[in-house]
């Protein structure tokens, strides 16, 4: 607050153009955040702003004219109608993918059960069944592991962090391509079938998001390309992710809320409607297949379709039980934070010694699978003392069958012995910590729900013993609350999780205990560390913008955090200079302010993509002009600009040019010619005054989904640029909980370096 | 599109300061939108922007310091913690109000039943029971009518339009004050008890919103006042409205979705969480009382609490039934549009001949109540031919008892004769059209659900007859789908309505039919006219901003729609001039750009409120200074500004100054003194370039919740101002479906007037 005082003391003095005091000028000497923050290579911000250059507007009007000429159907529907169809297609695709995963899993589980029972029948000892069990698991795990370690490393884990970062405005490369869909979709079948504590739900959400992204290619052609394709893609990815949740749990409402809660902060009513439709279609498709394969009449829906964790419509609770549920939330939060801390340590160790795309990672998968499967096999055998006491009992479900079935049993079985819950809970805690981050596709939802259900049920049994609960019937609710508390404690989702669970058990009147437990688990956990998804994003150095600006940003000014070494262009530039700017690999910018040469006034923002288009097609379209002397310039009337064609512009979505291709397209005589950039420049770009507070800048940047925000002084002279990294690196964002670790030593070095540089900058 | 072409042809030419062509310069000669659009007097835009003047920042830092000095509890909680408490209090209050309404209604219904049965017992004929029935209804209706016609006219109707407009950023005066809460809360008890087709749900939502607004007064003191109190209030009103839905239907999730769907487009994750908590608390309170009074153990929750329309957990449907549901949606949309059109005509007639706060309105209530109640009494008697055949049968429920109970019966009764459904459906259609807009508090939800349930059930019975449905058990689902289709057809809410219904019948697996029917009903209805809430907002001329900009806004520039006659201030102004500007009743502005005298550069925006503070406290705080000659000015060092105290600033929330009070606070010698406005000016205010597209301006204005958006040219000279009215009046917003009616003759007159003025403005 002292800082604020200093700022205030001078706040009323008009600012000089450059001589203004610099408070937080630091850490902005490194040009792109991808290197600065060690983000995965190629990580890019997304740009949801509307680029209203005359060229774009012309594109849109030509497009409208072309659409009028088209066949009746396309004209009648328009882009709006096609959007609805595309949304339905994305939902349908997600539902089909999810159903395929479900059906394959059912097949593999049946196969394993068969093999195991044969092995048990044919031999008396424990060894043969164990070997069958292990071999099956290893075979499955090696498929899943190979897909991750040698095909697509991004298929590892749940994929939710990556989707979260995409919705936040950061595109990690390869996350949304079809190969990732294949690796993830196939991989998760085998990782779950291997008997590892992996959920299929997270990967299904990732698959849904990819389906959404693929569906957005419907808009990539010149006829349907909207003013911002990034925005179209973002909305469809959000809808696809929601559809993934809907497919995984049969929970369309929970899916939409999940999309909102996990980053789709751009949610408008219109997008929400589309997201709903997408989710509903996806849930319907999944229910269709679930119902069909489960022996129901095909095509029957509603209350007769089986649910992931079984129906639980009759839960009741008393008002004085609410503190108990709150206590469960508290414990869930503490346990979740502990789980996160353990997993963080393990993930750090993995990053250092195992790597991402290595044989060591594959080996880790095999070794861990062996250990986990052995544990899962022998614990029930050792507990009962005999293999025969395991087969066909609940113990088999807890350890050998799928986790969804185990949750179902824990929710519905009247009597379960506390000791078996205790042992299973301990085992599940250990193996779930170890598995998340391993080189296989692995969701977190069901393993954590199972873990929580075990402990919650144990707690309920305890209450039953001391007489606080009447009968076994009432113990189920503690398992339900425990399940969501454990997941909320690690993943820090609250509302959407509660609603998903309500939809999972087909019950609406049990909301209050779930809300309470998840909210408290989330709060308590957040005291100690961020959610597991955020931890993994931090580990990957993905630069997320939090939904709200930090309080400290009120005391900082934009000029204190902006990048000052901005590469700008003049309204009329030589082709050589444009090429140089694009080739500058040191400072790979994606947007360039266009600035009046004489006065330094900001005129607009031109995108890298547009410059590439200009260079590629400039000669053909006679966009390049001979340079004129100042006298001639006065006399010659301004030429009408030449435009790029719609099909040329539409190529930008599908691929990028290579620099070499560009250079060959340009002749040596072209390099000295000029190009008038103004017709291709977004002249309406938002700007922010240099003396405005960072908080205001943050709100503008995030609400409007910007990628570049030019900073201007009072004469509307360009004086800097705000990008995502500047907001992330604003000092208030120092992640204190992360400090003191080796991994961040580097960044604190940077800090001191840049403090040294402060004097340079001030001079 | 020709227009776009013209715009494009010049798009690359740099704009001259004023000589640019004016396309849509029209209709902006009238200064405030409240008069221009005939909005209710005193209607004001809300301002959600953060006012970062040095004065405000100082206020915040002093506040933080003061908070540190305070008692441990307040310090520990901070504003964030208190916000959570306030949210819970708002939810609690809403729940208590709703429960009080529910309990009173139960009491009155019991009383009526008692009186009626006594009358039937004591006399043989129809006359005595009829008179008792009528007298009771008239007594109730006169209480409700008197509260609306003589106490608070805003208590009429459902209140949802007013809340929608508040969340959209328009404050209709008196909507959120305590007296309105009393009038609405008490009024709705009596209007429902009168037997009119009024729902208590809309008024409960209004009551919730008022509770939210009242709870926001916790932040009005100097210690807790946040940087934007308007924003705080908006969030709490949204939370309160959601709590109202949650209380009305026991549907917390539906409540949150309702708040999002009906206007809370500012929804961030954080606000959504708070809204959820508020809803959950409110639903819990209502369930507590519902369960308690319904003969359950007090404090028992969950599946055992009775629901508004009874539990329906076992609905199932086949995939080939989906087209049937879609067809029901279609019919619902058509019927809803017809209903809306009838109600619109009636409302126009009412506005012309009855008025708002008149005895005629009260008389209308009495006359209509007599008619409706007579109809309701005699129809069943005439149908059966004898009073005794009515008492104790379903007919009594359809006509004499509450509509919730009737819906419950239609959803659950195995056999209902189609003819009774047909008659009841027709009666309900007529009386519901007539009632909405009458001078009593009347919600639309339950009457429309009841109407739809009747017709839907009839449709189901028809299907049963032709053999498309197996048994009576399966007819209920058509009643449910019909209910939501009818409501979606009039009110045009889709998702939240589906979820509310799912929560109402405690069923999650029946989502798809409801989504489908509501979406189609909404689309079909929207072809013909807007939703009933929007119609009533239009009739009141409340200027709403749609969530999305119109496509046509892409072809318009900001300079074409902005207001050009902006009243601006210089950085140093005489007190006289400030007073003049504030007193100018012709042009009552609420924000004034501060502009550099010499260059015309825009320096910031100062609020009317702040100017009033300055004038009131200026002498006391020695903010007024002697005017200096230009030579002196050069030599004198700039004085440190004097600040307003925090408690002075905090008064702005609770009341306004009267002009006379202000003038007495100023002595004659003060008028010639000067005041430096810069320390009190929001210097970071967003601006928009004059040549930017209106679409961009629209997005900025709406996303950031602005009230004033200064327009600057390329030299950052102020050249205009965008307010809500400029965006509303942009030609693309002409409401074509409304045209050709007498009521709008006035505004088309205005149009031609302002077209005449175009030449003046251009000169």
């Amino acid at each position: 607050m002292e800082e604020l005082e200093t700022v205030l003391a001078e706040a009323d003095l008009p600012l000089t153009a450059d001589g203004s005091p610099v408070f937080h000028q630091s850490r902005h000497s490194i040009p792109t955040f991808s290197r600065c923050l060690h983000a995965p290579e190629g990580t890019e911000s997304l740009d949801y702003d509307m680029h209203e250059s005359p060229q774009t507007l012309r594109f849109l009007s030509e497009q409208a004219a072309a659409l009028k000429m088209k066949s009746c159907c396309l004209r009648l529907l328009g882009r709006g109608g096609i959007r609805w169809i595309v949304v339905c297609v994305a939902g349908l695709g997600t539902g089909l993918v999810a159903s395929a995963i479900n059906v394959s899993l059912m097949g593999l589980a049946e196969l394993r059960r068969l093999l195991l029972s044969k092995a048990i029948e044919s031999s008396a000892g424990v060894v043969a069944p164990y070997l069958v069990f292990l071999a099956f698991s290893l075979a499955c795990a090696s498929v899943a592991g190979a897909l991750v370690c040698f095909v697509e490393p991004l298929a590892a884990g749940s994929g939710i962090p990556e989707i979260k970062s995409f919705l936040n405005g950061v595109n990690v490369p390869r996350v949304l391509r079809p190969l990732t869909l294949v690796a993830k979709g196939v991989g998760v079948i085998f990782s779950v079938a291997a008997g590892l504590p992996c959920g299929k739900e997270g990967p299904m959400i990732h698959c849904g998001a990819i389906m959404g992204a693929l569906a957005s290619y419907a808009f990539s052609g010149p006829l349907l390309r909207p003013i911002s394709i990034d925005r179209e893609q973002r909305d469809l990815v959000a809808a696809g992710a929601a559809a993934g949740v809907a497919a995984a749990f049969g929970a369309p409402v929970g899916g939409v809320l999940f999309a909102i809660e996990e980053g789709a902060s751009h949610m408008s009513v219109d997008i929400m409607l589309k997201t709903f439709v997408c989710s509903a279609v996806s849930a319907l498709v999944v229910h269709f297949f679930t119902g069909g394969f489960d022996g129901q009449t095909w095509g029957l829906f509603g209350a007769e379709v089986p649910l992931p964790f079984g129906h639980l419509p009759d839960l009741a609770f008393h008002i004085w039980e609410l503190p108990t549920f709150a206590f469960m939330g508290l414990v869930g939060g503490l346990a979740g934070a502990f789980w996160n801390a353990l997993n963080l340590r393990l993930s750090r160790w993995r990053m250092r010694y195992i790597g991402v795309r290595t044989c060591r990672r594959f080996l880790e998968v095999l070794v861990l699978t062996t250990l986990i499967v052995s544990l899962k096999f022998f614990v029930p055998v050792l507990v009962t003392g005999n293999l025969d006491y395991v087969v066909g009992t609940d113990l088999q479900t807890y350890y050998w069958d799928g986790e969804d079935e185990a949750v179902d049993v824990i929710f519905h079985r009247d009597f379960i012995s506390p000791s078996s819950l205790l042992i299973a809970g301990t085992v599940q805690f250990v193996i779930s910590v170890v598995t998340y981050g391993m080189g296989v596709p692995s969701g977190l939802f069901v393993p954590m729900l199972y873990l929580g259900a075990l402990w919650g049920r144990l707690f309920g049994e305890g209450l039953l013993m001391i007489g606080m609960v009447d009968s076994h019937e009432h113990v189920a609710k503690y398992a339900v609350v425990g399940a969501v508390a454990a997941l909320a404690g690690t993943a820090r989702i609250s509302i959407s999780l509660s609603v998903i669970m309500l939809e999972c058990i087909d019950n609406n009147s049990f909301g209050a205990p779930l809300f309470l437990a998840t909210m408290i688990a989330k709060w308590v956990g957040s005291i100690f560390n961020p959610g597991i998804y955020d931890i993994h994003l931090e580990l990957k150095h993905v630069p997320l913008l939090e939904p709200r600006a930090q309080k400290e940003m009120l005391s900082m000014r934009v000029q204190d955090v902006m990048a000052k070494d901005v590469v700008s262009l003049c309204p009329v530039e030589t082709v050589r200079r444009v090429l140089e700017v694009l080739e500058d690999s040191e400072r790979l910018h994606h947007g360039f302010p266009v600035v009046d040469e004489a006065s330094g006034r900001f005129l607009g923002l031109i995108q890298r993509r547009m410059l590439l288009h200009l260079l590629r097609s400039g000669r053909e379209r006679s966009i390049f002009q001979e340079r004129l002397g100042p006298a001639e310039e006065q006399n010659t009337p301004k030429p009408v600009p030449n435009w790029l064609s719609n099909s040329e512009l539409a190529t930008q979505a599908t691929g990028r040019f290579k620099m070499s291709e560009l250079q060959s397209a340009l002749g040596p005589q072209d390099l000295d010619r000029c190009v008038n950039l103004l017709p291709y420049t977004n002249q309406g770009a938002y700007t922010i005054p240099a003396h405005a507070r960072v908080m205001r800048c943050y709100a503008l940047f995030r609400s409007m989904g910007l990628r570049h925000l030019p900073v201007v002084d009072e004469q509307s002279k360009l004086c800097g640029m705000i990008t995502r990294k500047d907001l992330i690196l604003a000092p208030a964002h120092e992640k204190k909980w992360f400090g003191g670790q080796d991994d961040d030593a580097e960044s604190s070095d940077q800090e001191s370096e840049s403090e040294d540089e402060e004097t340079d900058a001030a001079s």
Side-chain angles (χ1 to χ4, degrees), chain A residues 280-302:
Chain A
V281 169
S282 157
L284 212 59
V285 171
V286 169
H287 279 163
F288 180 79
F289 286 103
T290 323
F293 279 106
D294 211 75
Q296 300 287 336
T297 327
W298 281 85
L300 188 66
F301 293 99

Side-chain angles (χ1 to χ4, degrees), chain A residues 187-382:
Chain A
V188 74
I189 296 172
F190 287 98
S191 66
V192 175
L196 294 171
C198 297
K200 58 185 197 290
E201 287 71 17
M204 275 188 190
I205 296 168
H206 191 172
C207 290
I210 300 176
M211 290 306 300
L214 293 180
S216 76
Y217 282 116
F219 296 105
S220 64
L223 203 57
L224 289 174
R225 195 182 170 78
I227 194 162
S228 165
I229 186 108
D230 272 4
R231 215 190 290 178
E232 203 74 41
Q233 206 176 18
R234 171 195 64 182
D235 296 346
L236 275 162
V237 166
V245 179
F249 296 103
V253 182
V256 175
L257 291 173
F258 180 83
I260 299 179
E261 204 174 348
E262 284 296 292
S265 58
H266 57 280
M267 203 51 92
S268 71
V269 176
D270 183 58
I271 304 172
M272 196 175 80
L273 271 177
K274 298 214 166 81
T275 309
F276 242 103
V277 169
C278 193
S279 299
V281 169
S282 157
L284 212 59
V285 171
V286 169
H287 279 163
F288 180 79
F289 286 103
T290 323
F293 279 106
D294 211 75
Q296 300 287 336
T297 327
W298 281 85
L300 188 66
F301 293 99
E304 294 174 37
V305 172
L307 293 176
F309 310 138
H311 293 254
L312 268 181
D314 296 323
L315 297 177
F317 61 99
H318 274 91
I319 195 163
W320 51 85
E321 282 179 282
L322 288 179
T324 317
F325 298 131
F327 172 75
M328 292 181 77
L330 178 84
V331 175
L334 290 173
F338 182 55
W339 196 98
N340 284 3
L342 290 178
N343 190 271
L344 170 63
R345 275 175 181 277
L346 185 64
S347 301
R348 277 240 182 70
W349 181 86
R350 276 190 177 126
M351 282 173 79
R352 185 161 304 165
Y353 297 107
I354 290 186
V356 170
R357 196 190 265 274
T358 60
C359 288
R360 260 176 306 181
R361 195 174 194 194
F362 185 66
L363 210 67
E364 192 209 3
V365 170
L366 297 185
V367 171
L368 278 182
T369 306
T370 311
L371 291 176
I372 289 171
V373 166
S374 308
L375 198 65
K376 279 188 139 192
F377 185 88
F378 284 114
V379 165
V381 176
L382 290 177

Side-chain angles (χ1 to χ4, degrees), chain A residues 545 697-707 722 724 727:
Chain A
L545 284 184
C697 174
Y698 196 96
L700 181 68
F701 197 89
R702 214 184 118 90
S703 307
M704 310 312 293
L706 302 182
R707 182 167 185 178
I722 290 283
R724 184 172 278 261
L727 294 176

Side-chain angles (χ1 to χ4, degrees), chain A residues 141-157:
Chain A
S142 61
V143 175
L147 282 168
V148 166
C149 303
F150 307 123
V151 178
E152 182 49 73
L154 279 169

Side-chain angles (χ1 to χ4, degrees), chain A residues 706-757:
Chain A
L706 302 182
R707 182 167 185 178
H708 304 96
L709 180 55
V711 182
V712 294
D713 68 7
E714 292 189 328
Q715 277 81 30
S716 88
K717 250 178 75 180
L718 180 81
C719 56
M721 184 84 110
I722 290 283
T723 53
R724 184 172 278 261
K725 76 155 200 286
D726 303 311
L727 294 176
I728 301 268
L729 293 182
H733 267 238
E734 283 177 291
K735 289 282 177 294
K736 288 191 188 96
W737 67 274
F738 235 78
Q741 304 283 351
D742 313 3
D743 200 45
D744 267 36
E746 249 179 286
S747 71
S748 53
D749 284 354
Q750 270 182 18
E751 230 173 283
S752 53
E753 259 175 55
S754 53
E755 270 160 23
D756 296 345
E757 282 173 1

